Amino acid sequence: MRKQIVLSLFFAFVSLSLSAQQGYFGYISFNKTVQLMPEYMEAQLKLEQLRADYKNEVERSKREFDRQYTDFMINQDQLSSTIVAKRQKELQLLMDSNVEFRNIANKALEEQRLLLLDPLKQKVLEAVAEVCKEKQLDYVVDTDQRTYLYINTERGSDISHDVYLKLGITVQIDDSMEEVKSDIVK
């Protein structure tokens, strides 16, 4: 009788140990989740406004350069060689300044994008961690990265809806795994 109890406990322990080693996972589209957040649209609007402001300034600078260049081309025959050289240098400096401004604007836009989107990404990561703890998942696959070759939907769990609930996102439930399956075929 004692042997049976010991054997039963042993097999129960082995069974629990094996199931713990198999690992349960979740999967989610990280980018889609970020894009569904209300704060994402606000961030996009801010970025678009900033992008429009920079674009307007670039266009204004280009018009100024074009005006000065046209004026120079029309009048260069009437100017002394010293003044021509000076104006050419001024035009080159203006052109260099415009290029530098475009580079600075692109860098500033990227920095602003990171500044606005990083907190959203962090919020999603925190929600994913909470859902994983609740569902006792060992890891989560980001289906956006497409580094997986196959996802066994019977062993894994689509945690999208649970994360959406944590973030307060309301969406019509679709079969998110269909997107993953179609990605696998590609």
Side-chain angles (χ1 to χ4, degrees):
M1 179 75 166
R2 188 170 179 218
K3 276 186 173 180
Q4 287 178 333
I5 292 174
V6 170
L7 282 175
S8 295
L9 287 174
F10 174 74
F11 285 121
F13 176 74
V14 168
S15 174
L16 284 172
S17 175
L18 287 175
S19 68
Q21 289 176 358
Q22 291 174 346
Y24 294 100
F25 69 94
Y27 51 89
I28 188 170
S29 169
F30 188 83
N31 290 334
K32 179 180 177 183
T33 304
V34 170
Q35 291 170 358
L36 287 172
M37 297 174 71
E39 300 98 320
Y40 179 80
M41 188 54 66
E42 294 170 21
Q44 287 301 104
L45 290 173
K46 287 178 184 176
L47 284 173
E48 285 304 316
Q49 180 60 50
L50 187 59
R51 188 174 287 119
D53 291 345
Y54 282 129
K55 181 181 177 186
N56 289 339
E57 181 59 24
V58 166
E59 288 173 357
R60 187 202 63 76
S61 296
K62 184 182 180 317
R63 284 191 307 272
E64 177 62 22
F65 174 82
D66 290 346
R67 184 191 63 74
Q68 287 184 20
Y69 180 75
T70 303
D71 183 54
F72 170 74
M73 293 303 290
I74 291 170
N75 296 317
Q76 83 178 21
D77 293 339
Q78 301 164 2
L79 303 172
S80 70
S81 62
T82 309
I83 294 174
V84 167
K86 177 186 175 281
R87 296 254 178 108
Q88 286 174 333
K89 188 174 182 179
E90 287 173 352
L91 287 170
Q92 183 63 46
L93 288 173
L94 185 57
M95 190 168 60
D96 292 345
S97 175
N98 289 346
V99 169
E100 182 181 354
F101 178 76
R102 273 189 236 124
N103 292 337
I104 290 170
N106 287 337
K107 184 177 178 184
L109 279 170
E110 181 59 21
E111 288 172 359
Q112 189 65 26
R113 187 185 72 76
L114 292 174
L115 185 69
L116 291 170
L117 295 182
D118 280 352
L120 302 181
K121 291 176 181 180
Q122 186 60 40
K123 197 172 178 182
V124 172
L125 288 173
E126 290 168 3
V128 167
E130 287 179 35
V131 169
C132 287
K133 288 175 186 172
E134 291 169 5
K135 291 185 166 270
Q136 298 179 341
L137 300 174
D138 295 324
Y139 58 94
V140 173
V141 175
D142 180 4
T143 57
D144 295 331
Q145 300 303 314
R146 296 183 184 172
T147 55
Y148 52 84
L149 298 177
Y150 172 75
I151 294 178
N152 183 348
T153 57
E154 294 171 10
R155 301 287 305 150
S157 176
D158 183 350
I159 64 169
S160 301
H161 185 67
D162 298 300
V163 172
Y164 297 165
L165 289 174
K166 290 273 181 212
L167 295 169
I169 298 171
T170 54
V171 294
Q172 184 176 1
I173 300 173
D174 62 347
D175 189 0
S176 296
M177 195 57 210
E178 286 304 313
E179 292 176 28
V180 172
K181 287 179 184 174
S182 69
D183 288 345
I184 292 171
V185 174
K186 291 180 184 175

